Amino acid sequence: MNMGVYAFTTRALVRALAEDAEQVTNHDLEADIVPRLIRIGATSGYCLQLYWRGIRTIDSYYEANIELAQAKPPFDAYTNETWPIRAGDFGVLHPSDFVLPAAEGVSNSVISPGVSIGDDAEVDSCIVMAGAIIGERARVRRAIIEEGVEILAGSKIGFDRPKDRARYRISENGVVIVTAKSAGIARGVSSGPV
């Protein structure tokens, strides 16, 4: 269960937390406290008829993003002028700002502003965050590339699980997470061929 938005009176929340603290539970708001409030009839709800995805894990974050990169996403964020995206240094963007002409070698991926993708690179089913650089002839599949990370020319990520696991974190569902630390950026060295 994930409602996403909760409203409590201070009194009701403090009482529910105190009661939960005396029980053997995980003390999780969504898994323990809200279900208990529902069982005792201390809640009311509102049915939201819009698209909603709960994002509690790396895999659910990845799936929600990749879902929106499909040819037929679950909703059309690109023509709704009332949904701006506040993107830090990039200012206020509209979702249609993320619709790029089909770039050769890039498929089913979310590409953030400021990303550079080299010639003959292949990026498939990836989330590439702002300022990342994908070098020439690099091949990246089923990965999340952190902001500002550089993947060197000729690198292969997402094709050899044992090699990827030795260098990067891999989610339960096999998504490779390339961070500045795992890529060696913190030491001034880019993510090279593996």
Side-chain angles (χ1 to χ4, degrees), residues 34-193:
V34 171
R36 182 176 181 285
L37 290 172
I38 291 170
R39 280 193 304 275
I40 65 172
T43 60
S44 58
Y46 175 76
C47 184
L48 183 64
Q49 297 297 322
L50 301 173
Y51 171 81
W52 182 262
R53 290 279 291 196
I55 299 175
R56 294 179 64 143
T57 66
I58 287 173
D59 286 319
S60 60
Y61 168 80
Y62 174 83
E63 291 163 10
N65 276 272
I66 295 302
E67 189 173 77
L68 296 178
Q70 302 306 304
K72 290 187 177 184
F75 72 96
D76 182 6
Y78 306 108
T79 58
N80 189 330
E81 295 291 333
T82 63
W83 292 3
I85 296 172
R86 299 184 196 317
D89 293 341
F90 295 101
V92 177
L93 303 172
H94 183 269
S96 62
D97 294 333
F98 292 93
V99 179
L100 306 172
E104 189 174 328
V106 177
S107 60
N108 301 318
S109 296
V110 175
I111 308 296
S112 296
V115 168
S116 174
I117 300 175
D119 293 337
D120 296 323
E122 294 177 20
V123 179
D124 179 34
S125 302
C126 293
I127 300 168
V128 185
M129 296 183 183
I133 299 168
I134 310 293
E136 294 180 0
R137 299 174 318 283
R139 295 176 60 211
V140 186
R141 178 175 66 185
R142 284 186 50 80
I144 299 171
I145 310 299
E146 184 180 55
E147 186 174 309
V149 167
E150 180 178 359
I151 307 299
L152 289 182
S155 296
K156 289 184 181 178
I157 298 173
F159 293 89
D160 186 326
R161 177 85 45 106
K163 283 185 180 180
D164 288 337
R165 190 171 302 285
R167 188 165 197 176
Y168 310 109
R169 179 175 174 202
I170 299 181
S171 74
E172 288 184 24
N173 291 341
V175 177
V176 181
I177 299 97
V178 182
T179 64
K181 184 176 180 180
S182 67
I185 298 300
R187 297 184 305 274
V189 180
S190 300
S191 176

